[in-house]
Amino acid sequence: MLEALMDSAYIKSLPFLYEGLKLTLLITIVGLFLGFILGAFTGLGRLSKNGFIRGISTIFVEVVRGTPILVQVLFIYFGISEDLIGVNISGLTAAIIAITINAGAYIAEIVRGAVHSIDKGQYEAGRAVGLTERQTMRYIIWPQAFKRMIPPLGNQFIISLKDTSLFSVIAVGELVYQGRQYYNATFEVFETLVMVCIIYLMITIPTSVILRRVERKLDV
Amino acid sequence: MITVKDLHKSFGDLEVLKGINAEVKESEVVCVIGPSGSGKSTFLRCINLLEDITSGEVTIDQDVINDPKTNINQVRSQVGMVFQHFNLFPHKTVLENITIGPVKVKGMKEEAAKEIALQLLEKVGLSDKADAYPESLSGGQKQRAAIARSLAMEPKVMLFDEPTSALDPELVGDVLEVMKDLAREGMTMVVVTHEMGFAREVGDRVMFMDEGVVMEEGDPQQIFEDPQNPRTQEFLSKIL
């Protein structure tokens, strides 16, 4: 029984899928990190008093949220890198750029909503004490807003993690791509896809559990 | 100390202040009373530019504060403001609420600011709450902590925007007591309030505002006992 299991595709696909998992995590984590920076600037940009900054931030968010991420990555990989600037960027780079831009747009809305939700009196109290606008943002508004961003950011992590599966179309060797390679060679489709799902769930379920705990602790 | 000349303030088409003239001398306590919507809070908020001034001039100690050349952060650090809803920083302890101004605005050393903060907390009766977070305080304690936060900047003037309106009745007394102490020490104060007892007892002067103008002003005794303007008479007859 055990021997049969060890010999089955469930187990034998694992080393292969593990290689894909590494890339999936790399794209997700780097993409989200850069996406957070992009999103923080864009989100604050949407709250800017400067109409130009507000305008480009809004256009960015609307365009990215209004188009499928699959189209975005095709655009980055084939459209821009090959057609427009004539330089080939690797699939991995295109994937990270796509997650950065896509998560950036959603995180911008998270940042905007969180900052916006802080009582106006907090800003006024900061200014009344004599803090500059920047100091008020940094010491008073941002720390409170960031706390409120944690649950939706965790949610975004799960969404972006799953979005990386689309990058198999540009031959990035992430989890789904590796799975497809494996079952194309062995024809063990069912077993392989079960393992792919289990691996995703092993990341997403603990993330959800941790998030719920954090949420309860922060009471947000 | 504070001079307000022909101050106008509009929100869009709505003119809230229609030409206010006022003067507050050093160590004077001026109480501003009036029905809600009369513009008294807006007037107070214009004095430290929490609202942009539409036209007119506000001068604090020679500085015209709505002159673009004036460093408004500098001015604000000399004008303390106490809000109706306290607006304490919930992510900071009471002590940190008080030290942030001196440390970040005046560049004071953390230790020195802490010392001042502890003295102020003793003054407002909150010595044991230094390390507490605002959410664990009662409304009255929050407001006293907020007063201590303003005082830490050693302001020349203190503005109070309905400081006791959000408090349970039994908590009002402690806050008023702290304000009376300040008045006795010679702090210049402008107080928007519904506490007529306080205005009468502590105020050097009372301004009655209605419909965006100062309808009547004078010493408290005259305003409360012998109001001249019919609007003042009507307002006082409703609340006293």
Side-chain angles (χ1 to χ4, degrees):
Chain A
M1 171 75 187
L2 186 66
E3 227 162 81
L5 181 69
M6 291 303 288
D7 205 35
S8 73
Y10 292 112
I11 300 300
K12 281 167 77 184
S13 66
L14 276 180
F16 215 69
L17 296 180
Y18 176 68
E19 292 306 309
L21 174 64
K22 284 197 286 194
L23 266 193
T24 292
L25 286 176
L26 175 74
I27 297 166
T28 309
I29 290 168
V30 175
L32 268 187
F33 176 76
L34 297 176
F36 181 72
I37 296 171
L38 178 65
F41 277 105
T42 320
L44 295 178
R46 292 203 68 185
L47 295 167
S48 169
K49 284 183 211 123
N50 182 319
F52 178 71
I53 293 176
R54 211 170 51 236
I56 50 171
S57 303
T58 305
I59 291 171
F60 169 75
V61 170
E62 292 302 336
V63 167
V64 174
R65 287 202 308 173
T67 52
I69 184 170
L70 181 58
V71 178
Q72 289 163 12
V73 72
L74 291 174
F75 211 81
I76 293 164
Y77 189 59
F78 297 114
I80 293 180
S81 79
E82 287 186 6
D83 282 7
L84 213 66
I85 51 175
V87 183
N88 270 320
I89 57 173
S90 72
L92 181 63
T93 309
I96 290 174
I97 293 173
I99 287 289
T100 300
I101 289 176
N102 196 267
Y106 284 95
I107 291 172
E109 287 299 276
I110 293 172
V111 169
R112 186 181 70 95
V115 169
H116 197 72
S117 75
I118 302 300
D119 177 27
K120 199 164 157 264
Q122 290 292 312
Y123 177 80
E124 292 183 347
R127 299 308 303 273
V129 169
L131 299 176
T132 61
E133 194 166 352
R134 193 177 280 256
Q135 286 176 319
T136 306
M137 204 60 210
R138 176 166 163 203
Y139 299 116
I140 308 300
I141 307 296
W142 187 261
Q144 296 183 56
F146 186 72
K147 229 170 94 172
R148 295 185 190 182
M149 290 175 209
I150 293 172
L153 283 176
N155 201 32
Q156 185 60 45
F157 170 80
I158 293 174
I159 293 171
S160 290
L161 178 85
K162 293 185 297 176
D163 281 347
T164 58
S165 63
L166 295 166
F167 303 143
S168 59
V169 300
I170 54 167
V172 174
E174 46 69 56
L175 190 49
V176 172
Y177 183 83
Q178 288 293 96
R180 281 168 61 185
Q181 294 288 91
Y182 186 80
Y183 70 60
N184 281 338
T186 63
F187 303 108
E188 291 159 326
V189 180
F190 180 82
E191 293 90 333
T192 312
L193 287 179
V194 166
M195 292 318 282
V196 167
C197 285
I198 287 175
I199 292 173
Y200 277 119
L201 289 171
M202 277 168 58
I203 304 169
T204 53
I205 290 176
T207 306
S208 291
V209 171
I210 292 169
L211 270 180
R212 231 169 306 160
R213 279 207 196 135
V214 170
E215 237 168 283
R216 221 174 301 143
K217 206 164 171 197
L218 292 176
D219 197 22
V220 284
Chain B
M1 169 138 261
I2 306 177
T3 311
V4 178
K5 277 189 204 147
D6 197 29
L7 172 62
H8 287 259
K9 168 68 189 173
S10 303
F11 294 100
D13 289 337
L14 183 70
E15 190 172 34
V16 178
L17 299 179
K18 301 167 183 167
I20 305 270
N21 292 288
E23 171 110 38
V24 180
K25 296 190 204 70
E26 195 166 341
S27 292
E28 205 178 17
V29 177
V30 174
C31 292
V32 185
I33 62 170
S36 45
S38 58
K40 51 194 194 309
S41 282
T42 307
F43 165 61
L44 197 72
R45 292 161 58 83
C46 284
I47 299 179
N48 70 351
L49 283 199
L50 283 181
E51 303 290 351
D52 300 325
I53 291 169
T54 307
S55 72
E57 198 177 274
V58 176
T59 314
I60 298 179
D61 254 9
Q62 334 308 343
D63 295 318
V64 178
I65 64 160
N66 54 327
D67 182 331
K69 277 174 283 187
T70 306
N71 179 348
I72 185 60
N73 297 314
Q74 177 75 26
V75 173
R76 283 203 185 107
S77 71
Q78 297 171 4
V79 180
M81 176 99 180
V82 174
F83 299 88
Q84 181 177 357
H85 296 289
F86 332 121
N87 299 355
L88 289 173
F89 307 132
H91 60 303
K92 294 186 175 294
T93 64
V94 169
L95 192 79
E96 289 164 346
N97 263 276
I98 301 174
T99 55
I100 185 169
V103 171
K104 300 297 179 197
V105 179
K106 289 185 170 174
M108 196 183 276
K109 288 263 183 347
E110 199 81 50
E111 277 305 305
K114 202 173 152 183
E115 211 164 294
I116 291 175
L118 290 172
Q119 281 169 16
L120 286 168
L121 283 175
E122 197 179 325
K123 183 178 171 139
V124 300
L126 290 176
S127 294
D128 53 332
K129 299 292 184 189
D131 296 319
Y133 281 88
E135 64 169 7
S136 69
L137 304 184
S138 73
Q141 291 171 332
K142 281 183 190 158
Q143 196 59 297
R144 284 182 281 148
I147 292 173
R149 174 175 70 183
S150 292
L151 290 175
M153 294 302 289
E154 298 179 313
K156 296 177 187 162
V157 186
M158 286 283 281
L159 309 176
F160 294 85
D161 188 3
E162 304 197 21
T164 58
S165 296
L167 299 179
D168 291 338
E170 76 272 20
L171 302 175
V172 169
D174 289 344
V175 172
L176 291 182
E177 225 25 73
V178 169
M179 291 168 65
K180 280 180 202 166
D181 282 345
L182 275 181
R184 271 195 288 272
E185 285 164 21
M187 176 62 78
T188 309
M189 294 160 65
V190 182
V191 186
V192 170
T193 187
H194 292 296
E195 295 289 331
M196 298 304 151
F198 176 85
R200 192 174 217 156
E201 185 188 345
V202 185
D204 295 307
R205 207 141 44 83
V206 171
M207 283 169 62
F208 172 71
M209 279 183 70
D210 194 15
E211 290 169 5
V213 293
V214 178
M215 291 272 179
E216 185 170 1
E217 66 173 294
D219 69 67
Q221 197 163 4
Q222 180 258 305
I223 296 281
F224 287 112
E225 275 155 35
D226 185 23
Q228 302 298 309
N229 190 298
R231 291 289 299 126
T232 319
Q233 291 165 359
E234 192 194 332
F235 175 71
L236 290 175
S237 73
K238 274 187 201 150
I239 58 159
L240 289 179

